[in-house]
Amino acid sequence: MMLKDMVLSHISPPPVLEEIVDGRVRKKPAAGMWVGFPTRREGVLPGWQCPRCRALAPSVPSDCGVCGLKLLSSSHLARSYHHLFPVPSFRGVEDSEQSTERKEAAP
């Protein structure tokens, strides 16, 4: 593992920014990022083949050395999926409020 990968594994992604439009808080859309899912190549020149320019990359995740496309496998994306859509905030309740809500919700 390279130093950059080790450092980035300890950093949380930036929070989703919010804007106020017509008195309501809305989340700003995320900036787009091009990502490619390379195919594994075996043989004389083993590596990962970029889907855009067909250049070889020695490992994933990495950036393509020719076209700059971010290369990653589907398992890397699945492991980082929880950062893309954070869990919504929850409202804490006191024990007395909780028992009242349960009684009201009971049939």
Side-chain angles (χ1 to χ4, degrees), residues 86-101:
V87 177
S89 301
F90 61 92
R91 182 181 61 89
V93 294
E94 297 295 324
D95 287 339
S96 60
E97 290 179 31
Q98 212 171 20
S99 61
T100 306
E101 288 177 3

Side-chain angles (χ1 to χ4, degrees), residues 29-79:
M33 177 191 303
W34 288 98
V35 177
F37 298 101
T39 54
R40 181 86 173 137
R41 256 186 81 183
E42 301 293 334
V44 178
L45 294 172
W48 295 87
Q49 189 174 31
C50 175
R52 181 186 284 168
C53 68
R54 305 288 185 232
L56 286 180
S59 63
V60 291
S62 65
D63 292 343
C64 177
V66 176
C67 68
L69 182 68
K70 295 205 176 297
L71 304 174
L72 55 104
S73 68
S74 58
S75 61
H76 288 112
L77 182 61
R79 281 185 285 203

Side-chain angles (χ1 to χ4, degrees), residues 13-19 25-31 82-87:
V16 176
L17 300 176
E18 296 179 343
E19 63 182 349
V25 176
R26 292 186 182 175
K27 292 185 179 181
K28 287 185 177 180
H82 67 278
H83 292 300
L84 299 176
F85 301 100
V87 177

